[in-house]
Amino acid sequence: MTRQGGWAARRGRTTSVVLILLGAAVALIGSTQTWLVASVEGTDIPATGSEALALLQPLALAGLALTLALALVGKALRFVFSALAVVIGGALTALITPIAADPPVSAIARVVTEHTGIAGVESVGEITSAIDATAWPIVALIASLVVAVGGALALVTGPAWRKGTSRYDAPSTSTSAGEGPLDAVDSWDRLTRGGDPTD
């Protein structure tokens, strides 16, 4: 086994899952933090991540759910969920980038409407003198890239991941009487298959 293959088998699953989990968790935390502050007629109106980007929380939660799936599923579904992680990370990156680079009026339109009663992006833009971004859009952007990297790593290393522990495997018929002493787990497994562990 090559060194790369050995690393993929030993650490690929853990590294991929941790990256996706970390990125999605940071993005989810960021959804509750202030991203933008709109200056409207001398009043500062803050907008959280979920207010500036409605899809942020659902996509972050989907990323968190993927980590559990990747830790348990077989090779075929592993590929599907890894690809989904790449898609989620890519989608978050594409959606967050404009807000981090140059916040559009549409990102604060909803909260400004709630505070002023003035609706419509054009109308909100006319009464908004400035939109200042905090550090959180950048943090969330980095987190989305981490999710995408974790998914890509899972795609590359997934085929070499080791199988789960034997308690999740299908019952094996290879163990028979006379092959050696059975421990408590083996005895229980034999009993669940209809065998007599006292043989």
Side-chain angles (χ1 to χ4, degrees), residues 54-98:
L55 288 176
L56 179 60
Q57 276 188 344
L59 288 175
L61 288 171
L64 288 175
L66 279 177
T67 60
L68 177 62
L70 276 175
L72 298 176
V73 297
K75 187 175 293 187
L77 287 177
R78 189 183 303 155
F79 177 84
V80 174
F81 289 130
S82 299
L84 280 176
V86 174
V87 170
I88 289 172
L92 283 172
T93 301
L95 292 170
I96 295 171
T97 297

Side-chain angles (χ1 to χ4, degrees), residues 128-150:
T128 302
S129 58
I131 304 175
D132 297 319
T134 67
W136 275 103
I138 299 296
V139 172
L141 179 61
I142 295 172
S144 66
L145 291 172
V146 170
V147 172
V149 169

Side-chain angles (χ1 to χ4, degrees), residues 100-193:
D102 186 17
V105 174
S106 59
I108 52 91
R110 186 174 67 174
V111 293
V112 171
T113 297
E114 292 174 354
H115 282 77
T116 65
I118 298 175
V121 174
E122 291 185 3
S123 298
V124 169
E126 291 175 358
I127 64 173
T128 302
S129 58
I131 304 175
D132 297 319
T134 67
W136 275 103
I138 299 296
V139 172
L141 179 61
I142 295 172
S144 66
L145 291 172
V146 170
V147 172
V149 169
L153 182 63
L155 279 175
V156 173
T157 63
W161 290 358
R162 291 177 177 173
K163 295 182 179 180
T165 59
S166 59
R167 90 171 48 174
Y168 300 109
D169 293 340
S172 173
T173 59
S174 60
T175 303
S176 60
E179 289 184 352
L182 299 176
D183 61 16
V185 175
D186 292 330
S187 298
W188 179 259
D189 288 342
R190 176 171 290 186
L191 184 61
T192 59
R193 292 194 297 269

